[in-house]
Amino acid sequence: MSLMVLCGNGGEKLLLLAEGLLKKHVASHSLHEPEALIVYFSILEQQEKYSDALEILTGKLGSLLMIEVDKLRIQGKLLARAGDYATAANVYQKILELCADDWEAFLHYLGCLFEDDSCWSNETINAPIHPPKFVECKLTHLTDEVFDSRISNASAFVQKLRAEASNDSLRNPYLAHLEIERRKFLFGKNNDDDLIEALLQYYSRFGHLACFTSDVEAFLQVVSPEKKMEFLDKLMKNSNSLSAVPTKALGQSITLLKTQELIGNMFRLSVGELEGSAVQMAELYRKNLPLSKELDPQESMHGEELLSIVCNVLVQLFWRTRNLGYFVEAIMVLEFGLTIRRYVWQYKILLLHLYSHFGALSLAYERYKSLDVKNILMETVSHHMLPQMLASPLWADLSNLIKDYLKFMDDHFRESADLTFLAYRHRNYSKVIEFVQFKERLQHSNQYLVARVESPILQLKQSADNIEEEESILESLKCGIDFVELSNEIGSKSLTFNEDFQSRPWWTPTKEKNYLLGPFEGISYYPKENLTKEREANVRGIVERKSLLPRMIYLSIQSASVLQKDSSEINGSLADPKISSELKTLLERYAKMLGFSLNDAVDVVVGVSHGLKSYEAFGSDIIDWLNFAVFFNAWNLNSHEFGQHGGECTPGSWHLVNSLLESYILGKVRSMEPLIQSPQGDLPILVQLVTEPLAWHGLVIQSCVRSCLPSGKKKKKSGSMDQSLSLLTHAIRDAIQSLCGILEEVAKWSQDQINSPEDNKIDILVSPLRRNGQDEGPGQVFHIFETLVSSPNETELGNRISQALRDWSPVDVARKIVSGQCTVLSEFWRICESKIKSLKTLKQQIAQV
């Protein structure tokens, strides 16, 4: 019954019935498991019967809870929800006296003191996997006297906790002091100087810990940018009195650098200052390498975070200057770090994104596989790789990626019922509810929805050169009908976002955002903005449009098969009117998704095709617009509604698509720099253009050619029919010639880059890093590590690190980048060649007509 209520069915009546059944069970059999009691409390809480729950807790059944702190936590929560804040505050005091490091209990304690119920807000299925660090609080309802009295009590209690703490490593009593100062500041009882002073005290005690910046992030959010810089200045002055213990001194130095990142100070530095900062960090890493001499390879090394920060700085320098040397240097630094210790997942994720941006997607995929992503990590971590792969020619790897992800999800959905029943049989009732909620969260996953749509589209791309194979796939997909239904339903589906975006690099905080693609903005990326609503709208739009593709491809093939039926000749059209009608309906929907009516969308396409409008009229939806043009042409083959639209006749609509594809794709190819000199560039969009709209246009051509070929006895065609066929075959020949020309130029561009001498490409990557006596520009960090590698001190560094240094080769790293790019280009070239071969066969066939 509780599960039915959680899933949105039944409400109050079911809860009341569940309570009655439990009361009856208690009266006749009592309860014997703590888990059963927890369920009883949950039923009462959902009905806001807090007094009844408290009565049970303090009665005989309460003895089922053997751990005192657990019992107190439930009691404190029930009292607070019942509005008895004073008693609840006393209960939370007892919890903190027993467990001084319980941060959640302290927040609940403050919530009770200030009669603030924000802490107990109900979680939703859409809650982020990383809740915001900033703690919401309500203070405005308190008078000055009441606030002063209660904040004074809190301060005294925290002081007492600090005095009684037997363990110097407990952070909670000191974080509690920061929270009290934050609340004073928010209430207007002191200025931010007191909060800054408290933060400095916290640094003096815990500044050597890796968690320092995440600890203080929420407190820094409330102070002004000027005060943040003042705090940073004071920290820098304190850096002269670092700990005498080398590991602690290193930790404090790293904290200073991470605090600069947190505040956004790195974006205020000049290029020269940034270079100097990167050099200092590299020197710090080099000097402290001996501290890790005795560590096991699987243990984290001292100063490991420094290389990640160096990488962040070098990528920012690339963004500012567009000097490729900085970008390559960032890769070299991370590969250097992985040579010394190959288990650092942070380096692998940074490299994955750098290689993706550099067009070496096969290398990026290798780094992703080395993360050994399994089970639920497929849901939380695959966002690092899947979006780039969807726009790549590495179809085999993409297929494996999607299959593995969908297999995990589908296996979990299939097995979750067994897990739930297992938990129930073992009387672990809270796990029953947890498993059901977890399954529901995964079922609403935005990634799962996208993968379900992209999987059949990938199959359609892979078989687009063979219409019989394509039709077989479409048949297995029920001709796309189920996906049209999905497109209809997406607007009402609730979506969850389970991705762990905190592990992403600063330059690409979400899948949709990449700062490096635009000009330098000088922005601070902290705090990261909440983009959930924007992302949800974006995902809905993508799924809604892409879900229509299989059906539109099927209908376009059918519409283009104009001569397959010798009967039902209607005004020169031989296609099923239902097909034409449905395709028109879907075109109208597709146009609406692009923000236009069907007529207006056709006007835009015609205007761009004739050069009356630029391609900027398509905005960022170029692929969708070209898809629309392809499907419009297929529909126009058997519809006279747009016969004279803008002077277009059927051959004219063929010319429209040919012209759009030719001018845009060839314009891209001719303006693109070699991949080795131009990270990212337009290669992903070029791949999408060839494998989507151009491929769908090729299918329409294949269908037309097949329908035109002689197949046994046919009725003698009328003169008008002969003329219509002649026009059509002429348009098809032009289309085949146009696509062949496009693909041959794209294939030549790819082949030229593949055949470019490897040594030249390696030199392009490595030569900017050679210093040649210069004191500025890329290569300064690289020089530090190259010097270290040239003469490692084995006594100082130990055998393992010394051997790793000798194994590092910058030329090998450069060669891997070149090879990675060539793999991607080779796969793209193969796709183009396959399409050219298919089109040449069609050219021979249409010549027979």
Side-chain angles (χ1 to χ4, degrees):
M1 288 178 180
S2 182
L3 286 171
M4 289 173 72
V5 173
L6 282 170
C7 294
N9 302 312
E12 292 179 9
K13 290 182 181 178
L14 266 182
L15 289 171
L16 201 59
L17 181 56
E19 183 190 351
L21 288 170
L22 277 169
K23 279 182 179 177
K24 186 176 178 182
H25 184 83
V26 168
S28 57
H29 300 91
S30 189
L31 293 177
H32 304 287
E33 308 97 12
E35 285 279 332
L37 186 60
I38 298 296
V39 171
Y40 198 173
F41 289 149
S42 173
I43 297 290
L44 293 171
E45 272 190 82
Q46 289 177 78
Q47 299 178 84
E48 299 183 3
K49 295 182 177 181
Y50 306 118
S51 300
D52 293 352
L54 282 164
E55 189 178 331
I56 293 167
L57 182 66
T58 53
K60 184 181 176 182
L61 288 176
S63 61
L64 287 171
L65 299 171
M66 306 294 287
I67 301 172
E68 181 66 15
V69 171
D70 289 347
K71 190 172 179 178
L72 288 171
R73 286 192 182 105
I74 294 169
Q75 185 183 9
K77 182 181 179 183
L78 291 170
L79 286 165
R81 299 299 293 268
D84 189 353
Y85 290 112
T87 311
N90 291 333
V91 170
Y92 281 113
Q93 273 197 352
K94 290 179 185 175
I95 293 171
L96 288 164
E97 285 165 356
L98 293 169
C99 301
D101 218 27
D102 189 335
W103 176 242
E104 188 178 60
F106 177 73
L107 293 178
H108 289 327
Y109 166 67
L110 282 186
C112 293
L113 273 185
F114 299 125
E115 300 175 13
D116 174 12
D117 62 356
S118 305
C119 291
W120 294 281
S121 58
N122 292 323
E123 291 186 8
T124 67
I125 191 175
N126 294 313
I129 61 169
H130 288 294
K133 290 184 168 65
F134 189 84
V135 181
E136 296 291 342
C137 56
K138 300 173 186 172
L139 300 170
T140 53
H141 60 290
L142 301 174
T143 64
D144 282 9
E145 293 77 15
V146 169
F147 179 83
D148 288 343
S149 169
R150 294 181 184 176
I151 204 74
S152 176
N153 290 341
S155 295
F157 177 61
V158 167
Q159 194 61 39
K160 179 186 168 206
L161 285 178
R162 288 165 68 170
E164 293 175 355
S166 57
N167 188 345
D168 284 343
S169 65
L170 292 182
R171 293 168 17 245
N172 192 56
Y174 299 90
L175 282 170
H177 176 57
L178 288 175
E179 182 62 25
I180 287 170
E181 291 299 330
R182 185 179 81 94
R183 305 240 176 167
K184 283 183 185 177
F185 174 68
L186 291 173
F187 195 76
K189 279 294 174 181
N190 66 0
N191 56 37
D192 40 17
D193 289 336
D194 294 322
L195 181 54
I196 295 298
E197 185 56 38
L199 286 165
L200 289 168
Q201 289 175 15
Y202 190 75
Y203 173 79
S204 66
R205 182 172 285 271
F206 299 112
H208 63 286
L209 297 179
C211 61
F212 175 85
T213 45
S214 61
D215 282 352
V216 303
E217 183 177 344
F219 305 109
L220 283 170
Q221 284 181 27
V222 300
V223 300
S224 65
E226 293 74 24
K227 284 294 177 184
K228 287 178 186 174
M229 289 306 299
E230 183 183 317
F231 169 62
L232 184 60
D233 289 341
K234 288 181 177 178
L235 279 187
M236 301 296 277
K237 287 174 184 173
N238 289 347
S239 66
N240 297 324
S241 54
L242 294 176
S243 171
V245 180
T247 52
K248 279 194 172 184
L250 176 60
Q252 287 172 323
S253 298
I254 293 172
T255 291
L256 287 172
L257 294 163
K258 287 166 69 178
T259 305
Q260 285 193 70
E261 279 195 313
L262 180 67
I263 290 172
N265 187 55
M266 292 293 190
F267 285 90
R268 298 186 183 96
L269 301 177
S270 67
V271 168
E273 288 170 328
L274 270 178
E275 288 178 346
S277 176
V279 168
Q280 285 177 354
M281 287 185 264
E283 285 287 2
L284 191 61
Y285 178 86
R286 182 188 63 77
K287 287 176 184 175
N288 286 281
L289 258 182
L291 295 177
S292 304
K293 174 182 175 180
E294 305 297 334
L295 293 179
D296 185 271
Q298 297 199 24
E299 286 185 83
S300 293
M301 290 175 60
H302 299 293
E304 223 165 51
E305 291 170 288
L306 283 167
L307 296 190
S308 297
I309 305 172
V310 170
C311 168
N312 287 337
V313 169
L314 291 170
V315 172
Q316 192 201 141
L317 283 165
F318 163 72
W319 189 28
R320 284 188 176 197
T321 64
R322 293 297 168 187
N323 186 326
L324 183 63
Y326 292 118
F327 194 89
V328 176
E329 192 171 15
I331 291 174
M332 293 291 181
V333 165
L334 295 171
E335 288 288 2
F336 174 83
L338 280 179
T339 303
I340 294 176
R341 196 173 89 85
R342 61 190 177 91
Y343 301 101
V344 191
W345 63 266
Q346 293 92 336
Y347 297 172
K348 293 177 182 180
I349 285 178
L350 288 168
L351 277 169
L352 184 163
H353 287 279
L354 289 172
Y355 285 141
S356 295
H357 193 73
F358 210 175
L361 210 57
S362 57
L363 264 186
Y365 188 58
E366 279 181 29
R367 285 299 174 206
Y368 175 78
K369 287 191 292 185
S370 72
L371 291 169
D372 198 22
V373 175
K374 294 176 182 175
N375 301 323
I376 193 57
L377 287 177
M378 288 191 168
E379 171 68 0
T380 59
V381 175
S382 61
H383 63 91
H384 287 291
M385 196 72 246
L386 186 57
Q388 302 95 291
M389 292 294 279
L390 289 173
S392 85
L394 304 179
W395 286 346
D397 292 335
L398 172 59
S399 180
N400 291 334
L401 194 61
I402 293 177
K403 280 179 184 173
D404 290 346
Y405 172 75
L406 290 176
K407 183 179 185 302
F408 159 70
M409 296 292 272
D410 293 337
D411 285 352
H412 177 79
F413 296 146
R414 188 174 56 255
E415 295 164 4
S416 63
D418 293 337
L419 288 171
T420 305
F421 282 120
L422 184 66
Y424 184 79
R425 283 197 297 272
H426 285 272
R427 300 179 179 183
N428 198 336
Y429 306 122
S430 60
K431 283 293 177 190
V432 172
I433 293 171
E434 186 181 312
F435 287 158
V436 171
Q437 288 180 317
F438 183 66
K439 178 185 177 184
E440 188 174 352
R441 180 164 188 140
L442 286 187
Q443 283 176 322
H444 288 86
S445 161
N446 81 94
Q447 282 191 128
Y448 182 55
L449 200 59
V450 169
R452 279 176 55 204
V453 172
E454 291 287 0
S455 180
I457 290 174
L458 174 61
Q459 292 179 57
L460 293 170
K461 287 181 185 178
Q462 289 172 310
S463 300
D465 300 338
N466 186 316
I467 193 166
E468 283 78 18
E469 288 182 16
E470 193 82 348
E471 286 176 327
S472 175
I473 291 167
L474 286 166
E475 189 177 337
S476 71
L477 299 173
K478 297 181 184 176
C479 304
I481 291 171
D482 289 349
F483 288 96
V484 173
E485 290 175 8
L486 175 62
S487 182
N488 296 336
E489 296 167 2
I490 184 65
S492 59
K493 281 183 179 285
S494 64
L495 298 178
T496 56
F497 293 84
N498 307 318
E499 301 97 323
D500 176 13
F501 282 160
Q502 289 194 358
S503 59
R504 291 183 72 89
W506 66 263
W507 64 87
T508 172
T510 67
K511 294 183 284 189
E512 298 80 12
K513 184 71 176 174
N514 186 342
Y515 290 122
L516 301 186
L517 295 178
F520 177 65
E521 298 173 21
I523 55 103
S524 167
Y525 51 94
Y526 282 103
K528 291 179 181 177
E529 60 269 57
N530 185 357
L531 300 171
T532 303
K533 286 187 178 178
E534 183 184 319
R535 292 192 60 235
E536 187 165 342
N538 184 53
V539 169
R540 287 185 196 282
I542 290 170
V543 171
E544 192 176 4
R545 285 196 297 274
K546 292 211 165 187
S547 296
L548 296 181
L549 284 180
R551 185 65 180 168
M552 294 180 85
I553 291 167
Y554 169 79
L555 293 172
S556 295
I557 290 172
Q558 296 302 309
S559 181
S561 300
V562 289
L563 298 181
Q564 285 183 335
K565 299 175 184 175
D566 288 331
S567 58
S568 64
E569 250 185 69
I570 306 167
N571 298 327
S573 175
L574 304 178
D576 186 340
K578 288 182 181 177
I579 289 173
S580 183
S581 173
E582 186 183 352
L583 186 50
K584 180 187 177 184
T585 302
L586 294 181
L587 279 168
E588 287 172 339
R589 278 190 62 187
Y590 209 83
K592 187 178 179 182
M593 292 172 200
L594 294 171
F596 292 84
S597 67
L598 179 57
N599 282 14
D600 290 344
V602 173
D603 283 339
V604 171
V605 166
V606 171
V608 174
S609 174
H610 289 168
L612 303 175
K613 297 179 180 178
S614 73
Y615 280 94
E616 290 178 4
F618 294 157
S620 60
D621 301 316
I622 183 69
I623 303 296
D624 296 314
W625 275 104
L626 293 178
N627 282 341
F628 171 82
V630 168
F631 299 136
F632 168 72
N633 173 55
W635 171 69
N636 202 38
L637 289 171
N638 288 290
S639 169
H640 299 292
E641 291 185 42
F642 285 86
Q644 299 304 319
H645 187 92
E648 297 293 317
C649 59
T650 297
S653 67
W654 282 96
H655 175 71
L656 180 148
V657 178
N658 301 340
S659 170
L660 286 171
L661 289 171
E662 191 171 320
S663 61
Y664 193 80
I665 293 175
L666 295 186
K668 281 287 176 199
V669 171
R670 291 164 185 170
S671 65
M672 284 172 67
E673 293 182 46
L675 199 57
I676 199 71
Q677 296 173 355
S678 172
Q680 190 69 25
D682 289 317
L683 182 59
I685 192 77
L686 188 61
V687 171
Q688 285 180 284
L689 287 164
V690 168
T691 58
E692 292 187 41
L694 188 146
W696 313 147
H697 192 42
L699 282 168
V700 173
I701 293 171
Q702 289 178 64
S703 183
C704 284
V705 170
R706 184 174 62 180
S707 69
C708 292
L709 290 175
S711 55
K713 293 182 180 179
K714 294 212 172 191
K715 294 181 182 178
K716 187 177 179 182
K717 299 177 180 62
S718 65
S720 62
M721 195 63 186
D722 279 338
Q723 186 182 3
S724 175
L725 181 60
S726 175
L727 281 170
L728 179 61
T729 54
H730 182 72
I732 293 169
R733 287 191 188 99
D734 286 349
I736 293 171
Q737 191 62 42
S738 175
L739 292 196
C740 271
I742 295 168
L743 289 166
E744 283 168 355
E745 186 157 342
V746 173
K748 183 179 183 301
W749 174 83
S750 302
Q751 192 68 52
D752 287 347
Q753 294 206 60
I754 295 166
N755 292 337
S756 176
E758 184 182 82
D759 289 345
N760 289 359
K761 290 189 263 191
I762 290 172
D763 189 56
I764 288 170
L765 296 176
V766 177
S767 60
L769 306 182
R770 306 295 184 193
R771 299 301 303 136
N772 298 326
Q774 295 179 357
D775 294 328
E776 57 183 28
Q780 296 177 62
V781 172
F782 177 80
H783 178 67
I784 291 168
F785 293 144
E786 201 172 35
T787 304
L788 175 63
V789 168
S790 64
S791 54
N793 186 330
E794 191 163 333
T795 307
E796 192 178 66
L797 298 173
N799 179 62
R800 183 183 66 82
I801 294 177
S802 298
Q803 184 57 49
L805 291 174
R806 282 191 284 269
D807 290 341
W808 183 63
S809 166
V811 172
D812 285 349
V813 174
R815 185 171 283 110
K816 278 201 314 183
I817 295 171
V818 171
S819 174
Q821 290 184 340
C822 284
T823 300
V824 174
L825 289 166
S826 296
E827 285 299 306
F828 188 36
W829 176 85
R830 186 190 60 76
I831 290 168
C832 292
E833 284 296 311
S834 173
K835 294 188 183 303
I836 291 168
K837 183 179 178 181
S838 171
L839 287 166
K840 285 182 176 177
T841 302
L842 292 173
K843 192 175 183 180
Q844 292 171 353
Q845 290 173 344
I846 200 68
Q848 300 170 19
V849 179

